[in-house]
Amino acid sequence: MTVSGPGAEEAAGHDGTAQDGARTTVTVIIPTFNEADNVEELLTRLAAALPAHLECEALFVDDSTDNTPAAIERAALTCPFPVHVIHREVPVGGLSGAVVEGMKAAASEWLVVMDADLQHPPSLMPELVETGRRTGAELVVASRYAGGGSHAGLSGRYRVAVSRASTLVTRSLFRSALRGISDPMSGFFAIRRDTVHAQAGILRPLGYKILLELAIRCRPRAVAEVPFSFQERYAGESKSTVREGLRFLAHLVSLRTATPVARMVAFGLIGLTGFVPNLCGLAALTALGLHYLPAEIVANQFGVAWNFLLIDLLLFRGRREHRHWADRLGRFALLANADLLLRIPLIALLVDGAGMAVLPATTLALATTFVVRFVATELIVYLPRRARAGGADTPAPVEPVVAPEPREPDPGPREPEQREKEGTP
């Protein structure tokens, strides 16, 4: 996947070397989705910004449905540094998944992630890497909110407001993990390969906020920032959608509930929302004259359906692959209704024996069986995923564009991962 042509030293706009005389290897990972009109200009600007001491290669992870792969091939022929491409026919996991697969395929010391639409200025790439080398940081973020940065390229007040709100919510939820990162929504950053590969097995990419995933799960020991001005798109249209915004919220919940204790808290909060359909149904049925015991059984199904929907979409999103949704729903409903075997006698005891009203007795019984329901849901409905060898989880092979000088393969482990592509807000 190496491209022949003028050497990087001849084509670069800078011909100096690092102050310590060392050369640094960099893989620029560029996820693409229908970006054919941007590829050539992107590579041209990267080549113009490349100093001699950086040994650079570009790795496109492509999920396009247009002629972007052909555009990459044409641009690669005259590019002064190696160009690689991974094309996925069935992308899963969002832009984040695309980036993670590219990271696992890369062998360079530094990995730089940037978009193909030129909203991330390629001229800043060497400064990100040099800042990391100079400061010893494991992660260097190009920030729109650091001193001198700007989000001018965001189109419209709505997108500016969404970006600021997302940043505020994210930083408030992960204060410790995001300390020193003013722009956790940034898609432009440099990270040391060793920092990623040490934690590659626990990455669960979803949507487009890969920096958030890496910062929280990989926990780089030192972080630096470089201010930058977010540019307007060079060509094409934004891929940001309401659907991707909802996926971002789901990703936040997944990251926030990564520990059992946090999941239990979230499980309880979701269960509290389930009180509404449950108790409303109970009130309606008893008002119609139905005895409270059969009314409990019927009303419970409203709460079961509501709770399953939220738990499946938000809390256990990463554990759904091993069972069909109908199987998960059936198991969840069976557990919830089996819970009645414990709850109904308790409610009867509270109502008939202690003289409590039906609604308070129901609330107390639901709280009493909470822990049992949480543990059973984890173990019976959402068993942890088991590692699979080969199959659909295996990353797509890296296909050469032009390869006169094949690169030595990375001796490190390569773990399977699936991905899906989408846009950057």
Side-chain angles (χ1 to χ4, degrees):
M1 197 179 309
T2 304
V3 175
S4 59
E9 292 83 358
E10 298 172 1
H14 309 278
D15 57 7
T17 58
Q19 292 182 356
D20 56 9
R23 294 182 64 83
T24 304
T25 59
V26 181
T27 297
V28 182
I29 298 171
I30 309 163
T32 50
F33 180 69
N34 297 347
E35 301 285 0
D37 294 336
N38 294 317
V39 170
E40 183 176 0
E41 182 66 19
L42 172 63
L43 292 177
T44 299
R45 294 190 191 183
L46 274 175
L50 189 64
H53 68 275
L54 288 186
E55 185 179 331
C56 178
E57 64 179 4
L59 173 56
F60 289 88
V61 186
D62 182 63
D63 300 334
S64 299
T65 57
D66 66 355
N67 63 336
T68 296
I72 296 173
E73 183 176 357
R74 288 194 304 270
L77 294 174
T78 57
C79 188
F81 49 79
V83 176
H84 307 244
V85 63
I86 298 174
H87 180 72
R88 309 184 301 168
E89 295 295 338
V90 185
V92 177
L95 180 147
S96 298
V99 171
V100 169
E101 185 161 337
M103 288 178 165
K104 290 179 177 180
S108 299
E109 176 187 357
W110 281 93
L111 311 176
V112 175
V113 177
M114 65 187 305
D115 289 347
D117 56 17
L118 294 164
Q119 291 187 300
H120 300 152
S123 59
L124 194 64
M125 184 276 287
E127 185 176 349
L128 292 176
V129 177
E130 185 57 35
T131 298
R133 295 182 71 252
R134 186 179 67 252
T135 63
E138 294 184 340
L139 171 66
V140 184
V141 179
S143 172
R144 296 166 291 183
Y145 304 116
S150 169
H151 53 65
L154 284 174
S155 57
R157 294 181 179 179
Y158 171 75
R159 290 193 66 196
V160 172
V162 169
S163 177
R164 286 191 175 277
S166 300
T167 299
L168 178 63
V169 169
T170 302
R171 294 189 68 191
S172 64
L173 287 175
F174 306 99
R175 291 182 180 274
S176 176
L178 298 180
R179 185 177 292 112
I181 301 177
S182 63
D183 191 0
M185 302 294 100
S186 177
F188 190 17
F189 58 89
I191 189 168
R192 293 182 187 270
R193 175 181 175 273
D194 290 345
T195 302
V196 176
H197 280 233
Q199 303 295 336
I202 65 172
L203 294 176
R204 297 291 182 268
L206 175 68
Y208 51 84
K209 297 308 177 187
I210 182 58
L211 174 60
L212 182 63
E213 173 84 6
L214 294 171
I216 292 173
R217 298 200 193 273
C218 295
R219 295 297 179 103
R221 289 189 297 270
V223 177
E225 289 193 332
V226 173
F228 89 107
S229 295
F230 195 70
Q231 307 294 306
E232 294 184 1
R233 286 183 63 91
Y234 180 78
E237 298 179 352
S238 172
K239 313 303 189 303
S240 182
T241 63
V242 173
R243 177 175 177 269
E244 296 307 330
L246 295 176
R247 293 179 67 191
F248 166 65
L249 294 178
H251 193 206
L252 284 184
V253 173
S254 175
L255 289 171
R256 185 67 274 179
T257 58
T259 65
V261 173
R263 280 196 302 278
M264 182 177 289
V265 172
F267 188 87
L269 293 175
I270 291 174
L272 286 175
T273 68
F275 280 3
V276 176
N278 192 328
L279 297 182
C280 286
L282 177 63
L285 292 170
T286 53
L288 291 174
L290 188 65
H291 189 269
Y292 72 86
L293 288 181
E296 283 281 356
I297 297 174
V298 176
N300 187 63
Q301 310 314 310
F302 296 106
V304 168
W306 176 263
N307 287 344
F308 173 77
L309 179 64
L310 294 185
I311 287 171
D312 201 62
L313 287 176
L314 299 176
L315 193 55
F316 291 103
R317 187 182 186 93
R319 297 191 189 180
R320 300 187 304 180
E321 289 82 357
H322 66 291
R323 296 187 191 280
H324 189 270
W325 69 267
D327 187 8
R328 300 194 304 272
L329 175 59
R331 288 169 178 263
F332 187 85
L334 183 62
L335 280 176
N337 286 286
D339 177 50
L340 288 173
L341 296 177
L342 173 62
R343 200 184 337 143
I344 291 296
L346 179 57
I347 292 172
L349 178 64
L350 294 172
V351 173
D352 297 333
M356 290 183 66
V358 174
L359 296 185
T362 300
T363 302
L364 180 58
L366 286 169
T368 302
T369 59
F370 165 70
V371 174
V372 174
R373 286 184 287 115
F374 170 73
V375 173
T377 299
E378 282 236 333
L379 296 181
I380 298 176
V381 182
Y382 297 99
L383 294 174
R385 288 184 296 177
R386 297 175 181 176
R388 291 181 293 174
D393 282 346
T394 304
V398 176
E399 301 173 357
V401 177
V402 181
E405 296 178 3
R407 187 184 180 92
E408 290 296 323
D410 177 13
R414 305 240 179 120
E415 302 185 21
E417 192 71 36
Q418 291 183 322
R419 310 130 350 113
E420 178 181 9
K421 175 71 173 79
E422 74 83 45
T424 302

